[in-house]
Amino acid sequence: MIPSASSLTTALQTVAVGVVIYFWMRRRSKPNEAKPLHVDYGEATTFPFPMQVIASLPEWIRIPLMVKGSKPSLPRDGIDVLGQDSECDPYEKSVILPGKIWSVRYSYFSSPELKNAMKSLFGSNNAAAITNAPDHLKETLEKDIIVAEKYEALSEKERAELGGDMKQDMFIAKINIDGDENALLIYNPVRLHPQMMEYINSLGHVKFIVSGSSSHTNCLPDAAKQFPNAKIICASAADLKCQGVGMRAADFLYDVVRDEVPARYSGRGTYEDALEALQGQVRLFHIRGDVCTQALFVLVHKHLFEVDLLYAPTDEKLSGKDFETGNSIQHSTQRIFFYSLITRKAHPIGYLAPKYRCLMMDPTSLLASKLMIDAPKSDGSSSIDMAASLRYVIKELCQDGVCDQVLSAHSVAMSRACFCQRMDDTWGWLDGMSLLKL
């Protein structure tokens, strides 16, 4: 998650004494001697003044500020506006594998703070969306922009009646733990209103809550509260942010391994401990080097769960009529996002990753080196580590009988082959070689 300028300004005020001490000590920041990212991802980004001030602070002040500025908060949805007794249902439930895997698509309102943060960093991309769109969709994009502007002018009640402008999926898998064949694992928890709690409890007993991204933390503290006996598996950055709003400490930190446990995490459950607790029912793939989201893939019942590493719709979705002709606010915002930031024409590297993900991997950028909880290695090797992790996942998935389908929290169900190709289309630039060269 990119902290908003307003939240960081508020956080900065809470440590004003620390700032005074810092300038009193008159320490000068060391010049950035990091190695630049090996790809050209476009023009440099200018950061708002509050972010520049925070970036100049020493780590012992800066990291708590970043944690405070990124603190989780539940998203608002139609039930908040129209009431629990209304006909509003923000959940679309699907059976993926009868008796074993379910998905829940959750509709909600996008965060104004996130919108403002993205706009302050990257400006408006409406013109770029029209320019980058294929000729037969340029008129559609022009209409999409008008629709999006009109949507922003609507009252919250009017927006609630349209169902919200954002969606993401939660996945639920039934596994056998200690002889309990009704044990459940939740991946990428969404907001849990009473009707969703009733649905989940009808499926079994929640034993594990897995956050597959350190940037997907808004609903994690609520899920931990709703299921107090469940084991929490998340990244250390997610744990840090969530404890800041009162969540109990995570049981397992999947980005910490037994051979490299930092002193501050001594005694905490590691990646290996999480695997042992899952008793062979589930495989975990941590994408090392992904400093932005610390992505974790979960493989269960030959289905892979993924969040935050795919930005482009799958080939199946791109070829579907709903992507080009769908007339909901979700369709309009998705087309604007895709053609302004994701399409290969959007920026110089020619891959399906937004510019800000390149920025977050660049050790010389202010955002990556000073304004993220997890920073890339100064020698530039984080991108190499990430490429190696992704190649390992792809190699494992390509083994016969390992994976039948991939479920993406921000996309649609896709074939293994489509997923592997899309990962290469998105991240093949990391070390200059195709991820499909195993």
Side-chain angles (χ1 to χ4, degrees), residues 169-309:
D169 289 355
M170 169 177 69
F171 305 120
I172 305 168
K174 183 172 287 188
I175 54 180
N176 187 331
I177 298 295
D178 294 329
D180 182 358
E181 296 182 350
N182 290 313
L184 299 178
L185 176 148
I186 291 178
Y187 180 87
N188 190 48
V190 297
R191 187 170 178 182
L192 304 175
H193 287 291
Q195 61 265 52
M196 181 47 55
M197 287 294 297
E198 182 179 354
Y199 174 71
I200 293 174
N201 288 329
S202 73
L203 300 176
H205 319 117
V206 176
K207 293 293 183 72
F208 295 94
I209 301 169
V210 182
S211 172
S213 165
S214 61
S215 292
H216 267 236
T217 56
N218 281 337
C219 299
L220 183 57
D222 180 54
K225 181 179 179 180
Q226 299 283 6
F227 300 107
N229 296 320
K231 301 294 185 182
I232 302 171
I233 302 175
C234 69
S236 53
D239 178 66
L240 193 62
K241 290 189 290 184
C242 290
Q243 284 199 64
V245 294
M247 189 185 85
R248 66 181 186 274
D251 299 275
F252 306 104
L253 304 176
Y254 63 72
D255 58 334
V256 175
V257 295
R258 284 178 182 167
D259 294 338
E260 304 171 12
V261 180
R264 63 184 179 279
Y265 296 130
S266 178
R268 304 289 295 279
T270 64
Y271 170 82
E272 293 87 351
D273 295 325
L275 287 176
E276 290 177 4
L278 290 164
Q279 300 177 12
Q281 297 286 299
V282 176
R283 293 185 67 181
L284 304 177
F285 298 97
H286 171 221
I287 308 304
R288 303 195 72 173
D290 173 22
V291 294
C292 175
T293 72
Q294 296 292 349
L296 181 76
F297 299 159
V298 166
L299 181 64
V300 56
H301 303 313
K302 298 184 181 181
H303 284 67
L304 187 78
F305 300 161
E306 178 275 336
V307 61
D308 271 358
L309 288 191

Side-chain angles (χ1 to χ4, degrees), residues 8-135:
L8 288 176
T9 301
T10 301
L12 182 62
Q13 292 171 348
T14 67
V15 291
V17 175
V19 176
V20 172
I21 293 175
Y22 168 68
F23 285 109
W24 175 72
M25 293 171 68
R26 305 216 59 59
R27 291 184 177 179
R28 294 183 178 180
S29 299
K30 294 181 179 179
N32 191 339
E33 299 176 353
K35 181 180 179 181
L37 198 63
H38 62 280
V39 295
D40 175 16
Y41 52 85
E43 298 178 0
T45 299
T46 301
F47 293 87
F49 180 70
M51 289 187 174
Q52 296 181 40
V53 172
I54 291 174
S56 70
L57 301 175
E59 185 174 303
W60 61 274
I61 296 178
R62 176 167 39 85
I63 294 301
L65 279 176
M66 299 311 303
V67 172
K68 189 175 181 64
S70 303
K71 66 181 181 180
S73 60
L74 282 173
R76 288 177 61 78
D77 56 41
I79 291 179
D80 292 308
V81 179
L82 302 177
Q84 186 67 52
D85 296 330
S86 68
E87 295 182 358
C88 175
D89 184 0
Y91 305 110
E92 180 184 339
K93 301 180 284 291
S94 301
V95 176
I96 304 298
L97 193 62
K100 293 184 177 180
I101 298 179
W102 301 262
S103 72
V104 176
R105 178 151 294 180
Y106 172 59
S107 298
Y108 58 102
F109 303 132
S110 55
S111 163
E113 291 78 17
L114 180 58
K115 284 184 179 180
N116 291 335
M118 293 294 288
K119 189 173 182 179
S120 67
L121 288 176
F122 305 111
S124 172
N125 294 295
N126 290 346
I130 297 173
T131 300
N132 296 333
D135 290 342

